[in-house]
Amino acid sequence: MKKILLVLTALTVLISCNKAGENEYIVTGTIKGIADGKSVILEVQDETGQLKPIDTVKLEKGKFTFTGSSKEPDMHLISIETIEGKVPFILENGDIEMVINKDSLNITKVTGTYNNEELSSYKEKGMAIQKKMMKFQKDNTAIMQVAQQKQDTVAMNKLRKAYSKFQDEFTTQSEAYVGSHPKAFISALIIEGMFNQMAPDYKKINKFYEGLDKSVKDTKHGKKIKKNLDQLLKPVAAVAPVEIGTIAPEFSAPNPEGKMVSLKESKGKVTIIDFWASWCKPCRQENPNMVALYKEFHAKGLNIVSVSLDEKADEWKKAIASDKLTWTNISNLKDFEDPIAIQYSIKLIPSTIIIDASGKVVAKDLRGAELKAKIASLL
């Protein structure tokens, strides 16, 4: 009888030791060299790109544990008090374990669930390419500097072409992964990232999406891909494209206070018509550049008219305040069904139309340094 009790006790200990229930996650982390009592924070990125904490625990004997329930897999981050950087991982139901190196968070090994095992494997292959890139940079930095000093465009272009092959390797790796891992959550993240390429191949993106397992399509990120594709690939009524050299069509829409504002009354010597939305991560990432551009050139005649493709007024207004968009903001709150977006054949954001004082389109879809250089040349 004592033997039976001992066996049952041992089984109970095993079962209770880091065994997540069916709809539960247990995230267990180990880190050496950090004093007990330091805060460990579990964070997630919201739709605006901002990080928000969802749980905090204290480090005890070099370990920490988070427990809870996850409706679906999603990327999360672990940050530790006094340590720079964050540990990315996929929060999903199950037992997740991570061993953290306080001096190099990027080599943290996350194991225990399918999607985290896949994320670790994918990252390892990417690191192999990155190491080759770093070696190439080390071996050729001095050569590039000499070529730049001599204005040797042949040598510079040769080095740039060789370097671009590493990006091609990343692309090949990502596409091969998506094609062979239809049930992996990171396949959805990779496909979502394809929309941010300079010239997205929407038919290819659609093909990858269609190959995903239903469980991945049903996630928040899977649904976002589907929404983008439906908008981009759906047939639309024939609208004359707004091309460079043509006159930008006039429009008007409500500003955040509900007052109707027109393009005509908002023009400057140069005007940027900026199509964006609060939920559009690339748009929000570009907004600081737009703010800096406006501060630098507004006094010289630059105006900006931001046309938001939001649907919810409160989220639109919150983003305007958060990103400090002090210029003209308008929206019909109709997503991609916005009549101005349809009028301008906008199927992807962020998107910019640059017009001169007469209303003639002089450039399209410029960002960052390219946009600044164009505005500077026009003013």
Side-chain angles (χ1 to χ4, degrees):
M1 184 67 180
K2 288 183 179 179
K3 288 184 178 179
I4 293 172
L5 288 172
L6 286 170
V7 171
L8 289 173
T9 301
L11 284 172
T12 302
V13 171
L14 287 171
I15 291 169
S16 63
C17 182
N18 289 345
K19 290 295 180 182
E22 185 177 351
N23 295 308
E24 180 187 28
Y25 62 77
I26 300 178
V27 181
T28 306
T30 303
I31 182 168
K32 294 180 180 179
I34 301 296
D36 285 354
K38 297 297 182 183
S39 296
V40 183
I41 306 167
L42 178 63
E43 300 174 309
V44 68
Q45 196 172 46
D46 63 21
E47 290 187 354
T48 67
Q50 302 297 312
L51 287 175
K52 62 178 183 180
I54 59 173
D55 201 354
T56 302
V57 296
K58 296 295 184 180
L59 197 65
E60 294 183 16
K61 296 181 180 179
K63 293 186 176 181
F64 63 85
T65 302
F66 290 102
T67 60
S69 180
S70 176
K71 293 181 180 179
E72 62 178 58
D74 204 356
M75 288 297 301
H76 284 65
L77 300 126
I78 295 285
S79 62
I80 303 163
E81 186 182 354
T82 73
I83 297 181
E84 287 189 15
K86 301 176 188 290
V87 178
F89 75 106
I90 297 171
L91 186 66
E92 59 184 340
N93 291 328
D95 294 293
I96 301 171
E97 298 180 1
M98 56 181 70
V99 178
I100 301 172
N101 184 323
K102 69 181 179 66
D103 298 317
S104 185
L105 298 187
N106 65 323
I107 63 172
T108 297
K109 187 78 172 178
V110 184
T111 58
T113 61
Y114 170 72
N115 281 309
N116 280 296
E117 298 278 0
E118 286 299 320
L119 179 61
S120 293
S121 175
Y122 179 78
K123 284 171 62 179
E124 283 176 12
K125 291 177 181 177
M127 284 296 292
I129 301 173
Q130 191 170 2
K131 284 179 180 178
K132 290 192 290 184
M133 289 177 69
M134 291 171 68
K135 184 178 185 304
F136 180 89
Q137 288 176 325
K138 183 179 179 181
D139 294 344
N140 292 280
T141 297
I143 299 172
M144 175 59 92
Q145 288 174 344
V146 171
Q148 288 173 333
Q149 289 170 0
K150 294 182 177 180
Q151 291 294 302
D152 186 347
T153 56
V154 174
M156 287 190 289
N157 289 334
K158 184 179 179 181
L159 287 170
R160 290 186 183 117
K161 186 175 181 181
Y163 188 78
S164 70
K165 289 181 180 179
F166 295 115
Q167 185 58 52
D168 293 339
E169 279 193 62
F170 278 121
T171 300
T172 299
Q173 176 206 347
S174 297
E175 292 185 357
Y177 182 89
V178 172
S180 59
H181 292 78
K183 293 185 178 181
F185 171 71
I186 58 172
S187 289
L189 299 183
I190 294 168
I191 295 172
E192 198 173 352
M194 292 178 182
F195 287 101
N196 297 327
Q197 295 171 349
M198 287 298 291
D201 185 339
Y202 302 124
K203 289 185 178 179
K204 181 188 285 188
I205 294 173
N206 187 58
K207 181 181 178 182
F208 282 134
Y209 170 77
E210 291 298 337
L212 292 177
D213 187 78
K214 185 178 184 299
S215 62
V216 180
K217 287 181 177 179
D218 288 343
T219 64
K220 176 178 65 177
H221 292 271
K223 290 175 181 177
K224 187 175 179 182
I225 295 168
K226 181 67 164 62
K227 180 181 178 181
N228 288 343
L229 286 170
D230 285 348
Q231 178 61 42
L232 290 163
L233 299 176
K234 73 177 182 180
V236 295
V239 177
V242 179
E243 299 290 1
I244 294 173
T246 62
I247 296 297
E250 284 292 339
F251 58 77
S252 61
N255 68 7
E257 291 73 42
K259 178 185 176 184
M260 293 298 290
V261 179
S262 69
L263 172 63
K264 184 177 181 180
E265 66 186 284
S266 306
K267 287 177 187 174
K269 291 181 180 178
V270 175
T271 306
I272 301 172
I273 306 171
D274 176 38
F275 291 90
W276 74 297
S278 66
W279 47 260
C280 168
K281 185 177 178 181
C283 303
R284 302 297 296 275
Q285 290 174 335
E286 183 65 15
N287 277 345
N289 294 329
M290 295 290 280
V291 170
L293 191 72
Y294 187 72
K295 286 181 179 178
E296 183 173 353
F297 291 104
H298 177 56
K300 297 178 181 179
L302 173 67
N303 278 356
I304 300 176
V305 179
S306 283
V307 181
S308 169
L309 305 191
D310 275 283
E311 290 183 288
K312 298 178 180 178
D314 56 340
E315 293 181 3
W316 171 45
K317 294 175 184 178
K318 182 180 176 182
I320 291 171
S322 175
D323 293 0
K324 299 179 173 60
L325 312 184
T326 58
W327 49 79
T328 302
N329 286 276
I330 60 175
S331 180
N332 290 294
L333 300 174
K334 292 186 177 181
D335 198 73
F336 277 91
E337 298 301 319
D338 185 289
I340 305 172
I342 294 172
Q343 187 179 21
Y344 277 73
S345 300
I346 301 299
K347 302 183 76 175
L348 185 68
I349 54 175
S351 186
T352 55
I353 307 286
I354 297 94
I355 63 175
D356 63 17
S358 70
K360 185 173 71 175
V361 178
V362 293
K364 293 173 61 177
D365 295 326
L366 301 181
R367 297 193 218 175
E370 273 191 306
L371 179 59
K372 181 178 178 179
K374 185 65 178 178
I375 298 302
S377 69
L378 291 169
L379 291 172

